[in-house]
């Protein structure tokens, strides 16, 4: 039978650690004190303490140097300010004086622009008036729109429905009755025994014509005013 070579070492280690944890947990673990019991909100994360507002007490930054500040020494510039100023004075445009007026012999000067002596564009008589070309263009647009609307109304009137006069209505009614009598006369001339397909079809055709004529006659007799569409 196979026997492991590590068997003696395993037995030795098992014998050493056999009775190490017979009690409730390791023997050398410190028992917690009864005073350190779990309290309410003890496991919640605590925020850091609020700092006092010191920003309001800070003084605003001064634009002037402090007494303890020292100027930067050793900076030199190779610019020739005399020549630069002379070139700028030669090439520069002369400054225009502001217009003034004097109203007394003592020489008191006042600005001319706000005095009201200079004519302003807003003081003109035609200020705010619509130009003539804009008015003319608006009138042409309005005239073209009116002509288009008149043309459309005229077309609608041409296509509008026409009312039949009493004489036309009477003649139309008489014509329908005459047609009905002719169809009825043909219907009466049919043979008593209808045994073929053409005879049946002819009879159905006459019945449909009579029914349509009767419907038209009834409509015209019922309505005194009749309109027809112009095609």
């Amino acid at each position: 039978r196979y026997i492991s070579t590590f068997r003696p070492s395993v037995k030795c280690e098992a014998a050493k650690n056999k009775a190490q944890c017979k009690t409730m947990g390791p023997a050398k673990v410190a028992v917690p004190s009864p005073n350190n019991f779990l309290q309410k909100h003890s496991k919640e994360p605590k925020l850091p303490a609020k700092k006092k507002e010191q920003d309001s007490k800070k003084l605003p930054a001064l634009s002037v140097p402090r007494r303890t500040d020292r100027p930067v020494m050793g900076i030199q510039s190779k610019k020739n300010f005399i020549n630069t100023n002379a070139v700028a004075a030669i090439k520069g445009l002369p400054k225009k004086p502001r217009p003034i007026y004097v109203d007394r012999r003592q020489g008191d000067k006042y600005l001319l622009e706000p005095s009201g002596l200079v004519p302003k564009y807003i003081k003109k008589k035609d200020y705010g008036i619509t130009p003539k070309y804009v008015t003319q263009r608006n009138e042409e647009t309005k005239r073209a729109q009116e002509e288009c609307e008149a043309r459309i109304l005229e077309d609608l009137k041409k296509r509008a429905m026409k009312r039949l006069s009493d004489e036309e209505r009477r003649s139309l009614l008489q014509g329908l009755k005459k047609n009905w009598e002719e169809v009825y006369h043909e219907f009466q001339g049919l043979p008593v025994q209808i045994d073929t397909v053409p005879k049946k079809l002819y009879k159905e055709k006459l019945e449909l014509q009579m029914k349509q004529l009767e419907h038209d006659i009834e409509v015209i007799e019922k309505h005194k005013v009749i309109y027809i569409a112009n095609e």
Side-chain angles (χ1 to χ4, degrees), residues 89-101:
I90 294 170
K91 294 184 177 180
L93 297 176
K95 187 177 180 180
K96 294 183 179 180
R98 300 185 66 180
I100 58 175
Y101 73 98

Side-chain angles (χ1 to χ4, degrees), residues 157-173:
K157 287 181 180 179
K158 289 180 180 179
R159 299 179 185 177
M161 302 184 72
K162 179 183 177 183
R163 178 178 176 179
L164 289 179
S165 62
D166 295 339
E167 296 179 358
E168 292 176 347
R169 176 177 173 276
R170 196 179 301 109
S171 61
L172 179 61
L173 188 60

